[in-house]
Each structure stands twice: as C-alpha cells, then as structure tokens.
Amino acid sequence: MIGRKEEKEYLLSLLEEEESQFVAVFGRRRVGKTYLVRETFNHRFTFQHTGLSNNDIEPGLRKKTQLDKFGESLKDAGYKGDVSFHSWNEAFNALKEVIKQSAQKKKLVFIDELSWMDTKDSGLISALESFWNGWVTARPEKDVILIICASATYWMIDNVVNSKGGLHNRLTGQVYLKQFTLHECEEYLLSRKIVFNRHQILQCYMIMGGIPYYWSLLKKGKSLSQNINELFFKEGAILSNEFVNLYSALFNKPDQYLKIIEVLSSVNKGISRDEICRLSGILSSGDLTKKLTELEYCGFIRKYVPFGYKSNGMLYQLVDNYTLFYYQFIKNNVYNEGYWKELSNTPRVRSWSGVAFERVCLEHIPQIKASLGISGVYTEINSWQCRRDDEKGLMGSQIDLVIVRKDQVINVCEMKYSESEYLVDAQFDRDQKRKISDFIKKTGTKYAIHSTLITTYGVVSNSYSQEIQSVITADDLFK
C-alpha cells in the first residue's frame, strides 16, 4: 500500500484495544477510504456492507432497497434468518446474531457509504445509536470493532463526529483520509512501472489532484498527453462523466452546489459570500451556509480570512484540481482523442497552468515549510489582498500565500509555473515590491518580510533574482 502508514498503523492498533472500538473513516470521494480499510484488515471482516447510491432508486423505494441490500450482506456473512426487514432496528438485530455467532477474536464490522443508507425518515441513525449504545458497549466480551465510512464528509461530521444525539462522544477514533502528495503519486507510479518524469507528474497532479482512483487509471507505455486524452477526451472516456457522477454521489440535489462551484471556477482568487450570491443568484441564507460548509468538508473549496482581516472578511476559493480542470477544458469539449496534445503550449493552457500550480502549492504547505527550514516553527498560513487606496498610498495587491512565522518572519510567496527556469524580470521585481509595500502599509507589521518564489525549475540568475530571499522548486514539493 502506497502511503497511509499512520492510518494503517492506527487501524491495526484497534485489534489490541481492550474495549470495543467505534471509528469513523471519511474523506473526499475516490480518495481510497474503502481500499485502506479492506487492505489493512486483509478483507477479513465478521460483516461488511456497502450502501447503495440512491441516484437510480425511486425515492419511495430507497429505504426498502437499502434494507434489502443489507440483508444480502448479512446472508453473505452467514446469517440464516429472515431478511425481510421493515426497519433498521430489525436489520441491526440480525447483525447482532452474526456477531454472536462469529468465532473471530475481534468482531470486525465494516459499513461503507453509510450516508447513502440514511434515506428520508429511515431511522438509520437512531438504530445505529441503539446498536452501539444499547448492545455493543454492554457486551461483556468488549470485542467489537465497528468502522463506518462515508464520502459525504459533511454528513459524517454532522451526524456522527459532532452528533448532538445518542452518538455524541461515542466515537473512539476517526480517520480523515487526505489525497496523495506528489511524493506518494511518484511512489505509486513507480510501483506500477509507469515512467513519467517529475514535471509530467506535476502536470498530472495539476489535472487530477492526488486522488488515487484517477491515478490508478493511467496506463503504462503511454505518454502523459496520451493518457489524458484517453481518460477525458476520447469518445466513451472512463472519466468523461466523472464530474456529474462525483457531485451526484455526494449531494442528493446537486444543482445549487454546482452553481456555487461554477461561480468559484470563474475566478482565480477567493471571493466573498456576497459575491457568490450575486454571481450565482442564490439567496443568502442558512441553507447557503450549509452548502458552503459541505463543499468545504468534501475538499472542493476552502474558506479563509485574509491576514489582518476580521472574521466578516471570509473568502471562498475553489481548490479541487479536477473540478478546475473540468470547467476549463472538459465541460464544453467535443470529443477529440488528440485534444489535449493540440492544446499544449496555448495561452489557454498557460493561464490554467498558473492557477493549477498555485493549488498544488497550497496542498503542499508542509513541504514548503521544510524547504524553508521551518518545519518545527509555528506558522499561520494565509492569503492577503487589499484594494487601491490613493489616500493611504495603497496600489492594490493580492498575495495568494503568506506564511506568518513565530520567529517574526513573514514569507510573502509568489507561485509561478514555468516550463524552464523562471526569468525574474523588472516587471516581476516591481510587482513583488508593490505587494510587499502594500502589505506593510496595510497590516502595520514589524516582522521581517522575505520575498519567496515557488516555481518549477528554479530561476535564471540575474540582478533581479538576487532580491528574492528564498526559491523553492517543484523538486522540493516532492519531498
């Protein structure tokens, strides 16, 4: 298994615990949650079940269909009784019998895609509460390990992790599974004998992020452009409908979520809630707050308060690489197997590359800190911007990455994608000095300001490059 060392060690440690364990595993869809659990325990479960996607089930039949499928899984686990359940309480009572009959020392129960099973008025959560609180924890054997999993991260956090009901504080542990880093993607390709150089791996990450499922579809013996064309752009491509499937699987009514995503995909910087409302036509309400929170928990967007601003200055930004790529190149594309190769080195791709590279950098902050030699230093990671104000001498600036350090240094980071060593010219020098000047005037900071450049291959040495305090390369992001 590539990566996931800490997660695997934690899950295996559950086998040594003296008490029954209740663990939630969550993270973005396709990130490898199911694979992690199954491979860690070598598929040896007392009982395992995966909820069904409700997209193709008539609303009135969803509860029955989910219960019927649960019954099938019980039979696979050796249950001999009637599985014509009318409620989740009945279904979990049958699960108790499977557990009691098991000869395993630890009774491993894995329920995947739990959120799909929670249909309208299903009573699933109350039945789960009763199963855990009223039966598992009361067993003198204390031998049950219950692992639940869901791609709908917000649902998991709202209904289980931060439950205010019977599951409040009942979890004994949780695993939030993140996407692969560049280093892990490189390791994964090596394990499959797929030969890409680091620049190609970086480009692939800019397209697909670190989502293991997408990387598993790459084919040995083909170039990066051939792989991208086959995965996204040829007729019948396996990922041609991924966008619809992705959002439909996570949200029962995805239309308004997609309106928010489309608005955020149209701007490179973070924008305010009011701007989202204005551009999307969605009214400001508690429901909008919920949708923004869900999108954040699912890893599609981030919210942040720019450095020096108050909480009412909250901004939202699209950070999911695949979604950004979809809106730039897939949404309105006519299938053409040579499409991606034809687009290479066009202004459209160059513009996207700059934005996508910034997203990759934001996902590799630990590697950036390590390169700066400040891994052990407390930092606050932020962005910053100000409008032009002639009276205050502000020219108007935006800084996408600001690292505020406990050792009284602030790294003002500029992220530049390049196909070769980056040429720091007079325009770059002027822009960076303007940004730093605006930042000092607006924030009043007394910290030392270090101009920092993050780029693919380093810089061409000249008088302007000497003004930069630190240069971080793509190789540093792979560490």
Side-chain angles (χ1 to χ4, degrees):
M1 186 186 300
I2 302 299
R4 314 310 195 197
K5 181 179 178 182
E6 291 182 9
E7 294 87 352
K8 184 176 180 179
E9 287 178 353
Y10 167 70
L11 290 175
L12 287 175
S13 75
L14 301 177
L15 298 170
E16 308 303 321
E17 294 292 340
E18 295 181 359
E19 301 288 332
S20 288
Q21 299 293 304
F22 184 12
V23 175
V25 180
F26 51 98
R28 184 198 187 280
R29 181 164 165 78
R30 309 288 204 188
V31 82
K33 302 178 296 298
T34 304
Y35 181 83
L36 168 69
V37 176
R38 288 177 175 168
E39 291 298 311
T40 296
F41 295 111
N42 200 23
H43 296 253
R44 294 175 181 171
F45 300 102
T46 305
F47 172 78
Q48 67 171 316
H49 173 70
T50 301
L52 296 171
S53 171
N54 290 300
N55 291 334
D56 299 321
I57 306 173
E58 291 183 26
L61 297 176
R62 286 175 179 172
K63 179 180 176 180
K64 181 181 184 305
T65 304
Q66 296 287 357
L67 282 167
D68 288 346
K69 188 64 177 177
F70 195 84
E72 290 178 19
S73 296
L74 284 166
K75 283 193 171 296
D76 290 340
Y79 182 67
K80 304 301 182 184
D82 181 20
V83 293
S84 300
F85 305 128
H86 296 93
S87 70
W88 282 109
N89 278 319
E90 292 178 3
F92 278 104
N93 284 338
L95 176 56
K96 294 174 190 177
E97 295 302 315
V98 171
I99 292 172
K100 286 190 285 188
Q101 293 166 14
S102 172
Q104 289 179 305
K105 182 180 177 181
K106 288 289 186 178
K107 322 303 185 188
L108 271 169
V109 177
F110 177 36
I111 303 178
D112 197 8
E113 297 299 359
L114 185 68
S115 59
W116 288 347
M117 297 159 59
D118 187 27
T119 54
K120 186 178 180 181
D121 300 322
S122 68
L124 173 70
I125 294 300
S126 62
L128 179 62
E129 291 170 359
S130 177
F131 170 72
W132 179 258
N133 296 335
W135 189 76
V136 173
T137 57
R139 277 172 60 80
E141 295 85 355
K142 303 183 185 302
D143 57 356
V144 175
I145 299 173
L146 173 60
I147 300 174
I148 59 172
C149 187
S151 297
T153 306
Y154 180 84
W155 181 95
M156 182 72 88
I157 291 173
D158 199 41
N159 289 279
V160 181
V161 177
N162 294 334
S163 170
K164 296 178 176 62
L167 292 180
H168 178 67
N169 281 340
R170 295 299 181 179
L171 283 181
T172 59
Q174 53 186 283
V175 175
Y176 176 55
L177 200 60
K178 298 181 180 179
Q179 60 182 324
F180 278 170
T181 62
L182 281 165
H183 173 73
E184 288 166 333
C185 288
E186 184 176 44
E187 278 193 325
Y188 180 72
L189 292 182
L190 287 171
S191 73
R192 296 188 55 215
K193 313 298 183 187
I194 296 176
V195 180
F196 287 172
N197 63 35
R198 281 191 165 179
H199 192 80
Q200 291 163 340
I201 295 172
L202 173 63
Q203 289 177 314
C204 195
Y205 201 99
M206 288 158 56
I207 293 168
M208 305 195 297
I211 304 303
Y213 171 70
Y214 300 158
W215 288 77
S216 74
L217 301 174
L218 296 169
K219 295 291 187 290
K220 183 171 68 173
K222 294 183 181 295
S223 68
L224 174 62
S225 61
Q226 285 176 315
N227 269 293
I228 297 306
N229 279 325
E230 289 198 8
L231 289 177
F232 296 102
F233 299 116
K234 80 171 186 179
E235 187 127 19
I238 191 169
L239 291 178
S240 60
N241 293 318
E242 170 65 8
F243 184 82
V244 174
N245 295 335
L246 177 62
Y247 284 88
S248 296
L250 294 175
F251 310 113
N252 289 331
K253 298 179 179 178
D255 290 354
Q256 288 206 321
Y257 296 92
L258 293 177
K259 282 185 179 181
I260 296 168
I261 288 293
E262 187 158 9
V263 164
L264 293 177
S265 73
S266 67
V267 291
N268 295 336
K269 62 179 183 177
I271 62 174
S272 69
R273 178 193 177 99
D274 288 343
E275 288 177 289
I276 292 173
C277 292
R278 179 176 62 81
L279 295 171
S280 68
I282 299 174
L283 296 177
S284 181
S285 64
D287 186 58
L288 174 61
T289 301
K290 180 175 180 290
K291 286 180 169 56
L292 289 169
T293 304
E294 288 181 83
L295 287 168
E296 180 190 4
Y297 278 139
C298 289
F300 296 117
I301 70 173
R302 71 167 178 142
K303 68 177 180 181
Y304 63 93
V305 178
F307 179 77
Y309 284 70
K310 297 180 180 179
S311 59
N312 59 3
M314 186 76 69
L315 299 179
Y316 297 86
Q317 184 180 34
L318 176 65
V319 292
D320 182 65
N321 302 70
Y322 165 72
T323 300
L324 178 67
F325 184 75
Y326 170 83
Y327 276 106
Q328 290 292 323
F329 302 108
I330 302 175
K331 183 181 178 183
N332 298 314
N333 176 58
V334 176
Y335 292 116
N336 174 359
E337 290 191 34
Y339 181 71
W340 187 242
K341 187 175 181 180
E342 291 172 7
L343 273 182
S344 61
N345 207 31
T346 61
R348 185 178 172 192
V349 167
R350 287 196 293 271
S351 176
W352 161 79
S353 296
V355 176
F357 180 67
E358 289 176 7
R359 302 298 191 271
V360 175
C361 293
L362 292 175
E363 290 160 3
H364 288 78
I365 297 299
Q367 289 78 10
I368 292 171
K369 287 182 62 176
S371 180
L372 292 171
I374 57 170
S375 292
V377 178
Y378 174 78
T379 59
E380 293 181 4
I381 307 301
N382 223 310
S383 299
W384 180 85
Q385 62 189 50
C386 74
R387 295 179 179 177
R388 183 182 182 91
D389 188 329
D390 292 332
E391 290 185 6
K392 296 180 180 179
L394 299 173
M395 293 174 277
S397 300
Q398 177 181 330
I399 304 171
D400 290 316
L401 178 58
V402 177
I403 303 176
V404 184
R405 298 159 41 174
K406 191 70 172 179
D407 57 1
Q408 299 194 348
V409 172
I410 296 176
N411 291 91
V412 171
C413 301
E414 190 71 17
M415 296 168 278
K416 294 291 186 182
Y417 177 82
S418 177
E419 296 285 344
S420 59
E421 288 186 327
Y422 185 76
L423 178 63
V424 181
D425 57 14
Q427 183 62 52
F428 178 95
D429 186 63
R430 283 194 298 272
D431 288 344
Q432 194 72 344
K433 287 177 177 176
R434 167 179 54 79
K435 291 178 181 182
I436 292 173
S437 174
D438 278 352
F439 184 82
I440 293 172
K441 288 177 184 177
K442 182 70 175 179
T443 65
T445 183
K446 303 300 182 185
Y447 282 18
I449 307 297
H450 285 195
S451 174
T452 304
L453 175 62
I454 308 171
T455 187
T456 40
Y457 289 109
V459 298
V460 176
S461 181
N462 60 25
S463 59
Y464 296 116
S465 68
Q466 301 304 311
E467 299 293 321
I468 299 171
Q469 294 290 310
S470 306
V471 176
I472 299 170
T473 66
D475 280 343
D476 295 317
L477 302 182
F478 277 82
K479 294 177 181 176

